[in-house]
Amino acid sequence: MESTLRGVGVSHGVAIGEVRHMGTAVLEPPAKQIPVEEAEREQGRAHQAVEAVAADLVARGNLAGGEAQAVLEAQALMAQDPELMADVERRIAVGSTAERGVYDAFASYRALLAGAGEYLAGRVADLDDVRNRIVARLLGVPMPGVPDSDEPYVLIARDLAPADTALLDPALVLGFVTEEGGPTSHSAILARALGVPAVVALPGAGEISEGTVIAVDGSTGEIFVEPEAAKRAELEAAAAARKAALSASTGPGATSDGHKVPLLANVGGPADVPAAVEAGAEGVGLFRTEFLFLDDSERAPSEEKQVEAYRKVLEAFPEGRVVVRVLDAGADKPLDFLTPADEPNPALGVRGLRSLLDHPDVLRTQLTALSKASAGLPVYLEVMAPMVADRADAKAFADACREAGLNAKFGAMVEIPSAALRARSILQEVEFLSLGTNDLAQYTFAADRQVGAVSRLQDPWQPALLDLVALSAEGAKAEGKSCGVCGEAAADPLLACVLTGLGVTSLSMGAASIPYVRSALAKHTLAQCERAAAAARATDSAEEARKAAQAVLSGE
């Protein structure tokens, strides 16, 4: 019998297929004691397993490339954490087997993370995955993960570890559904990069029986269990119509009456560039540079290594615009050489620009590398700072750019509500703003972007968030400067129209979303977008805002 469930749609498209569940978790190893004379051998086994798992994660990252590579390399560093390994060795020294020592040491660290504030608690799923991989290797059992299947299927899991999501085969995995996670979790971001329809934060998803046919609508977040023939035909027709519309929509982003809205790509490194070019991106609106720094948490990459990586991206967009975000370290992306290890709440501590201003040599090297990488190229380079709170932050960053001799526009990210409220003040020091809607929502609603339980507050349709976007865009317009959106909100075609109506001047997203957004904008005039934006802001909830905008744009 057909039934409908609703989670959070995080990746466009419709998938219809039989359910396959993620493999069960690794069993807890027995707590047996070993003789003292075997401790050294067990410690050696533990080290070998850790190094093998770290190497496997790095290899998976190299295969996946882009943002997935950065996430997996961060997991590899987690596996090799020296304090964790020291704890493993201590436990083995007093009689634990290698696998039990790993299991208990990770459990202890897990408890610390879970109690260290919501931001770090969001890393627990990644830690569990690393533990499971190490324990599985020590026990000599297969690693639980994506099921083996010769036929395409819809994958259901409690949550998906980055190592699993990064290497999903879109030819077999039609779509996926998770019980946990949020719209800006690692799995959601990687799903969009893969172009696989996905729904997250769906309680009870694990109770759907293996082999059940379901339809997943990654745009609406709806799951149709055992859909009847009419519903399947309706969904398939809608998907076919959407695909045809995407194919027909080409060229620069613009509304139907010719108002230009450049559509840019979010990239994590050179590996993401081909997909961006193929999707018709008019440039890069967010070049995340963290991937370079995750190779070695103890020291920054050399200037030469940075120049090489930056130039590969800049060369791909001749005459195009490339917006580079300088290193955003801290919170869930700690680096030993840069971020404090003892912060009680890293998400509200020394993160982003704050870290760089505390380590001016790291910032200076990155800005100098960007200057050298862009030399002689016909690219429009723009460089922006993350986590700008006020005019003083903006001035400090602009001064650092000038001191490095950087021939580029300097900008500030709006991720903190204070930056939106004081946009005109910040624009006295920099030349553009870029809204990071993921973090802006997190800090506006005190809702961790990795925690599924508060995912409704991470919804970019929240009217309060739209108000902050409008404030930023209005401030930029008053100063004669630009204000783009580079957060995940830009990837929603309907919301892209609303953002345009709010006065946003460019939209940046994962490459897979560009055709959807281009097609949606081309159907509506700027005036319609403005009316939809006003209607959305006049509501009191995200769901009401979405419905109000949809009603305006559909002519209801």
Side-chain angles (χ1 to χ4, degrees), residues 308-332:
E308 180 184 0
Y310 301 151
R311 196 168 180 90
K312 286 179 182 177
V313 175
L314 296 175
E315 286 176 336
F317 295 95
E319 306 295 339
R321 176 186 177 200
V322 175
V323 185
V324 179
R325 180 178 70 189
V326 294
L327 176 63
D328 182 16
D332 67 335

Side-chain angles (χ1 to χ4, degrees), residues 80-332:
Q80 296 169 306
D81 183 276
E83 290 188 18
L84 254 177
M85 280 310 302
D87 190 16
V88 171
E89 289 182 344
R90 283 193 296 270
R91 293 173 187 275
I92 294 174
V94 294
S96 286
T97 60
E99 46 268 34
R100 188 70 207 192
V102 167
Y103 188 90
D104 289 341
F106 272 74
S108 177
Y109 192 43
R110 187 186 199 279
L112 286 175
L113 278 186
E118 287 188 349
Y119 212 106
L120 282 180
R123 304 273 62 77
V124 165
D126 291 1
L127 185 72
D128 287 348
D129 181 59
V130 172
R131 177 203 64 201
N132 290 348
R133 291 175 185 280
I134 297 171
V135 171
R137 182 169 285 273
L138 287 165
L139 290 174
V141 299
M143 176 61 209
V146 178
D148 289 329
S149 176
D150 295 329
E151 298 297 324
Y153 59 91
V154 176
L155 179 65
I156 290 184
R158 182 182 63 80
D159 201 355
L160 280 172
D164 296 315
T165 317
L167 295 183
L168 289 178
D169 181 355
L172 285 176
V173 182
L174 302 171
F176 67 76
V177 180
T178 65
E179 293 192 53
E180 299 184 1
T184 58
S185 64
H186 282 150
S187 290
I189 292 171
L190 294 175
R192 284 188 286 271
L194 284 167
V196 175
V199 172
V200 301
L202 181 70
E207 297 172 14
I208 301 175
S209 301
E210 185 94 1
T212 301
V213 174
I214 66 172
V216 179
D217 190 327
S219 299
T220 66
E222 290 176 303
I223 305 294
F224 302 94
V225 181
E226 298 284 8
E228 295 177 356
K231 173 58 71 174
R232 292 184 66 157
E234 176 189 330
L235 290 169
E236 288 168 349
R242 189 180 300 168
K243 186 175 181 179
L246 294 179
S247 300
S249 178
T250 58
T255 58
S256 63
D257 56 340
H259 175 72
K260 293 184 178 180
V261 187
L263 302 181
L264 312 170
N266 294 343
V267 304
D272 291 337
V273 167
V277 172
E278 184 179 350
E282 297 167 61
V284 172
L286 173 61
F287 178 6
R288 301 179 178 95
T289 57
E290 289 78 50
F291 81 101
L292 268 175
F293 292 78
L294 291 171
D295 286 343
D296 187 343
S297 70
E298 297 182 0
R299 62 183 64 84
S302 67
E303 180 182 301
E304 293 74 19
K305 182 177 180 180
Q306 292 189 54
V307 169
E308 180 184 0
Y310 301 151
R311 196 168 180 90
K312 286 179 182 177
V313 175
L314 296 175
E315 286 176 336
F317 295 95
E319 306 295 339
R321 176 186 177 200
V322 175
V323 185
V324 179
R325 180 178 70 189
V326 294
L327 176 63
D328 182 16
D332 67 335

Side-chain angles (χ1 to χ4, degrees), residues 223-531:
I223 305 294
F224 302 94
V225 181
E226 298 284 8
E228 295 177 356
K231 173 58 71 174
R232 292 184 66 157
E234 176 189 330
L235 290 169
E236 288 168 349
R242 189 180 300 168
K243 186 175 181 179
L246 294 179
S247 300
S249 178
T250 58
T255 58
S256 63
D257 56 340
H259 175 72
K260 293 184 178 180
V261 187
L263 302 181
L264 312 170
N266 294 343
V267 304
D272 291 337
V273 167
V277 172
E278 184 179 350
E282 297 167 61
V284 172
L286 173 61
F287 178 6
R288 301 179 178 95
T289 57
E290 289 78 50
F291 81 101
L292 268 175
F293 292 78
L294 291 171
D295 286 343
D296 187 343
S297 70
E298 297 182 0
R299 62 183 64 84
S302 67
E303 180 182 301
E304 293 74 19
K305 182 177 180 180
Q306 292 189 54
V307 169
E308 180 184 0
Y310 301 151
R311 196 168 180 90
K312 286 179 182 177
V313 175
L314 296 175
E315 286 176 336
F317 295 95
E319 306 295 339
R321 176 186 177 200
V322 175
V323 185
V324 179
R325 180 178 70 189
V326 294
L327 176 63
D328 182 16
D332 67 335
K333 294 175 284 190
L335 293 170
D336 293 345
F337 67 88
L338 199 66
T339 47
D342 56 352
E343 287 187 297
N345 191 342
L348 301 179
V350 184
R351 177 189 169 190
L353 180 62
R354 299 167 186 175
S355 293
L356 293 174
L357 294 178
D358 281 351
H359 298 81
D361 53 323
V362 175
L363 177 58
R364 188 182 309 112
T365 299
Q366 185 169 25
L367 294 174
T368 301
L370 283 165
S371 180
K372 291 182 178 179
S374 61
L377 295 179
V379 67
Y380 296 97
L381 176 64
E382 301 183 13
V383 181
M384 62 186 182
M387 300 297 290
V388 171
D390 56 16
R391 182 172 178 173
D393 278 352
K395 183 178 187 304
F397 178 65
D399 287 346
C401 289
R402 282 188 283 268
E403 288 169 13
L406 190 60
N407 181 26
K409 283 187 176 181
F410 317 141
M413 290 196 71
V414 177
E415 302 165 283
I416 303 173
S418 63
L421 294 168
R422 302 288 293 172
R424 292 192 69 175
S425 172
I426 286 172
L427 284 167
Q428 304 309 303
E429 304 294 342
V430 294
E431 298 172 78
F432 69 94
L433 300 177
S434 185
L435 287 143
T437 51
N438 306 346
D439 272 319
L440 185 58
Q442 173 170 251
Y443 292 120
T444 298
F445 297 104
D448 191 323
R449 55 191 284 189
Q450 300 294 335
V451 177
V454 293
S455 62
R456 79 171 185 86
L457 296 172
Q458 268 292 327
D459 192 324
W461 281 96
Q462 287 284 357
L465 189 67
L466 299 181
D467 288 344
L468 291 175
V469 173
L471 274 175
S472 303
E474 289 163 5
K477 183 177 181 180
E479 295 297 326
K481 296 181 178 179
S482 63
C483 176
V485 169
C486 65
E488 291 301 315
D492 179 337
L494 180 61
L495 185 51
C497 294
V498 167
L499 295 173
T500 298
L502 292 173
V504 166
T505 56
S506 66
L507 298 166
S508 190
M509 64 209 77
S513 297
I514 290 176
Y516 291 92
V517 172
R518 182 192 292 119
S519 176
L521 284 173
K523 295 174 184 174
H524 306 291
T525 65
L526 175 60
Q528 287 175 313
C529 293
E530 289 172 341
R531 288 198 297 273

